[in-house]
Amino acid sequence: MFVTPSSLSPCPNSPGSANFLENPTLCFVRLKEAVLLESVLEVSLPIRFLFIILGPRDSYKSYHEIGRAVSSMMAERVFRTDMYLAGGRQDILQSLDEFLDCCIVLPPNDSTSEQLLKELLPVQQNLLRRRYQEVKVVPGGHRGEEDHNKKPKEEPPEDPLQRTRKPFGGLVRDIKRRYPKYLSDIRDALNPQCLAAVIFIYFAALSPAITFGGLMAQKTQLWMGVPELMVSTAIQGIIFCLLGAQPLLILGFSGPLLVFEEAFFKFCDSQEIEYIVARVWIGFWLILIVIIVVACEGSFLVRFISRFTQEIFSFLISLIFIYETFANLAKIFMAHPLKTHYNESTVNIPSEPQPNTALLSLVLMSGAFFIAYFLRQFKNSSFFPGKLRRIIGDFGVPIAILIMVTADFLIKDTYTKKLSLPKGISVSRPADRGWFISPMGLRPDIKPFPVWMMFACVVPALLVFILIFMESQITTLIVSKPERKAVKGSGFHLDLLLIVGMGGICALFGMPWLSATTVRTVSHANALTVMSKGGKPQIERVIEQRVSGLLVAILVGVSILMEPVLSLIPLAVLFGIFLYMGVTSLNGIQFFDRILLTLKPPKYHPSEPFVTRVKTWRMHIFTLIQVICLAVLFIVMFTPASLALPFILILTVPVRMFILPHIFNNLELKCLDSDDASVNLEEEDGQDVYNEVQMPV
């Protein structure tokens, strides 16, 4: 906020005049943080810049006009940016000269004709357009111009998706770029915020492993379940955190993979094919496919996955978390329906419907969600000192779990279903399989695995690869967005090779393949994000390190031996954490923000480019198209065609590339579907450029 403080004048009727001065004196102040100056303004507005001018009374009439001129300059975005970045007097004078070069000054004249203004308007537009096109903000935080070469231009950050056109060239480049920062990945973990992230993500990783493991056991008739998923999560997580290029990624099982496993099991069961053996051959094909793709630098295809597809997929993953929460809660209500009378002799017998079980489960789930969510918001409130507030906010999820588990422990007369873990390391179906699966079949001497299926498994392997590729690469794109302030970079080729390769090997041991999970990874990155202090918190940096993910993977593996302690946690509490991750991961998804805008009058819409530069009804049409794509994907998940979910997801890419350009122009698509919110002014008409600033005439 900018102010010219006439209230500082010693002469009430002469703003800015001071008779004890012989010459005008002025100062221009930029505060470190915006503050409230109640004695200066009648309204409570934070002020960052102060321009003060005082001088002899005989010249006071010009002081007010000087203040108006400075206010006009501060309203112009390029000059305002210069003032934020200015390092001293010389920078201010240079910016002032550049501003005046783009001004057309008319002498005071009451008879200025409209014809003259119309003739000058194109000249003014060209001056402004040239000014905006020349200005560039380089990574060092300084403003540079094409016409001035006072400082050498800094090299732009290396594009991890740029092709080298050499076999495995992208993989080698990922290793050379990321591994030199390995020691800093260890040192940066010496931060209390990392400990809070470990505790939070541990439960965030454990609860899906338990929940999805239980669901997979039901859908595959115990061929794979909780033990296999927990061991797979631990082993793959440890290896990835030690070798991966983006250690912020959290590997885990996801909803789309569960949909595939269920559909593939039904196919194998109908064809009388050994499901667990067929997965081994899928794993072999996965390894071959990923080697070919990485050798050809296939990760460059991520360039075609625009924000349109990314946000649909991210929304789908969050929706699966929210759906699974309420679906599991509904099962509790069905197993323990509300009744007016219960037989007291059956109380605390798990096999019988229990009074108050459903209601208590609802309270535990809601309590865990709302406490975690409230403490997340509390972190940015104005209560308590900042350090205490941040500690409470960082440990919000562990605090919520502890409170709800304690509440359940103190309620003795109501049964709730607890977390069920295997006792020791054993497979879910020990009578029929062990930890190693023979590719020739479980009983090759009696029923060998069909040879034709060995080759036919390339088709489901391609489907699994598409799912892992889409989720892992999109998750990496989300974490690597510039606004997250990650500086160490990512390695798309290296991470893809590790994730898919480990999944292919795990299939040989009857364990699930995993992917970089979007919701858990975003939650991990959010937990490691350092926010600025002051009025509106801004992202300062993210703590990029390997230790938090490594400890989470180790804890998940150790959890198999912590059955006596973890068995005290009610499943309803984990459902609340499921809901928390699903809801909080929607934050920052522009698609979700636009859905909410359909419920608000236009006068309450924010001043974002996708709102201000696109007509409201056309913005809603774009949102409707995304909603239709999301609905189709969600419906397909519950149909026999669920095996084709990866192909249907890929179809959103040509929809964006070939159909939307016929409905929206380039400027609208750039505002609605670009990761960069800035809009090239060449695509706007001159009148909009001219009206964007206020120029003194």
Side-chain angles (χ1 to χ4, degrees), residues 199-511:
I199 298 175
F200 167 33
I201 301 302
Y202 165 62
F203 287 102
L206 179 64
S207 53
I210 301 299
T211 307
F212 280 130
L215 292 173
M216 187 161 52
Q218 297 175 11
K219 299 178 185 299
T220 64
Q221 296 181 5
L222 293 177
W223 282 109
M224 287 192 302
V226 176
E228 292 84 359
L229 186 51
M230 291 185 66
V231 172
S232 180
T233 302
I235 294 176
Q236 295 191 50
I238 292 173
I239 296 175
F240 182 81
C241 287
L242 292 175
L243 302 177
Q246 180 50 274
L248 293 180
L249 300 181
I250 298 295
L251 303 191
F253 201 71
S254 63
L257 288 175
L258 179 64
V259 172
F260 171 84
E261 294 285 6
E262 180 182 10
F264 186 65
F265 175 79
K266 290 180 179 178
F267 168 79
C268 292
D269 190 50
S270 63
Q271 300 296 321
E272 296 184 353
I273 297 174
E274 293 176 324
Y275 158 76
I276 200 69
V277 179
R279 292 185 77 260
V280 174
W281 287 97
I282 292 178
F284 290 156
W285 284 110
L286 277 176
I287 295 174
L288 179 61
I289 291 173
V290 74
I291 291 175
I292 294 174
V293 170
V294 172
C296 300
E297 301 179 297
S299 290
F300 85 95
L301 295 173
V302 177
R303 293 183 180 277
F304 299 102
I305 304 177
S306 67
R307 187 168 188 161
F308 178 83
T309 300
Q310 292 177 36
E311 295 195 331
I312 290 175
F313 189 71
S314 299
F315 203 116
L316 177 65
I317 300 298
S318 299
L319 202 60
I320 290 175
F321 268 76
I322 297 172
Y323 168 80
E324 289 294 339
T325 296
F326 291 102
N328 283 282
L329 185 64
K331 292 179 181 178
I332 295 178
F333 271 83
M334 294 176 62
H336 305 277
L338 302 179
K339 296 181 179 180
T340 56
H341 299 286
Y342 278 88
N343 185 354
E344 295 184 359
S345 62
T346 63
V347 174
N348 292 326
I349 301 178
S351 60
E352 298 290 335
Q354 300 296 312
N356 302 323
T357 292
L359 291 179
L360 181 57
S361 298
L362 177 61
V363 170
L364 294 175
M365 184 207 75
S366 303
F369 168 75
F370 284 112
I371 291 175
Y373 192 82
F374 169 77
L375 293 180
R376 173 189 172 94
Q377 303 298 322
F378 178 80
K379 183 178 180 180
N380 297 324
S381 68
S382 57
F383 297 97
F384 300 117
K387 291 184 178 180
L388 177 61
R389 190 171 63 242
R390 285 189 291 274
I391 291 175
I392 295 175
D394 291 338
F395 287 88
V397 172
I399 291 173
I401 294 175
L402 179 61
I403 292 175
M404 289 297 102
V405 171
T406 303
D408 177 77
F409 181 78
L410 296 176
I411 301 175
K412 303 291 186 179
D413 58 350
T414 303
Y415 164 78
T416 54
K417 189 175 182 180
K418 301 299 190 296
L419 189 59
S420 178
L421 292 176
K423 295 183 179 180
I425 301 177
S426 62
V427 296
S428 300
R429 197 165 172 169
D432 299 311
R433 54 156 291 194
W435 278 110
F436 179 80
I437 308 298
S438 172
M440 297 297 105
L442 295 177
R443 297 178 180 177
D445 53 337
I446 300 177
K447 185 181 179 181
F449 191 75
V451 177
W452 68 269
M453 190 61 185
M454 298 178 184
F455 295 94
C457 282
V458 66
V459 177
L462 186 61
L463 294 175
V464 174
F465 177 79
I466 292 174
L467 279 179
I468 297 177
F469 179 89
M470 293 287 286
E471 185 163 11
S472 299
Q473 305 289 61
I474 287 177
T475 303
T476 305
L477 283 175
I478 293 173
V479 173
S480 304
K481 285 184 177 181
E483 57 264 28
R484 290 196 174 272
K485 305 293 179 67
V487 296
K488 295 185 180 180
S490 300
F492 290 84
H493 309 85
L494 175 59
D495 289 349
L496 182 66
L497 179 64
L498 284 173
I499 295 173
V500 179
M502 289 189 300
I505 296 174
C506 282
L508 193 61
F509 300 94
M511 295 188 295

Side-chain angles (χ1 to χ4, degrees), residues 1-3 28-31 46-50 69-87 91-92 94-100 128 131-132 135 137 141-143 145 607 613 691-695:
M1 182 60 64
F2 181 79
V3 62
F28 186 69
V29 182
R30 181 183 64 205
L31 303 178
I47 296 175
R48 182 75 186 275
F49 292 94
L50 290 172
V70 176
S71 297
S72 298
M73 289 190 293
M74 290 297 296
E76 200 259 345
R77 61 184 174 90
V78 176
F79 184 83
R80 185 170 61 251
T81 301
D82 288 346
M83 294 304 98
Y84 275 101
L85 301 176
D91 292 342
I92 297 177
Q94 179 183 347
S95 300
L96 180 60
D97 291 338
E98 295 169 358
F99 178 85
L100 293 176
L128 292 176
R131 175 171 170 81
Y132 292 157
V135 175
V137 178
H142 302 286
R143 191 174 66 85
E145 299 177 1
S607 57
R613 299 176 185 266
N691 289 336
E692 186 174 347
V693 297
Q694 299 175 4
M695 303 293 292

Side-chain angles (χ1 to χ4, degrees), residues 7 101 187 314 338 389 432 513 638:
S7 60
D101 289 341
R187 291 194 303 265
S314 299
L338 302 179
R389 190 171 63 242
D432 299 311
W513 35 66
F638 300 97

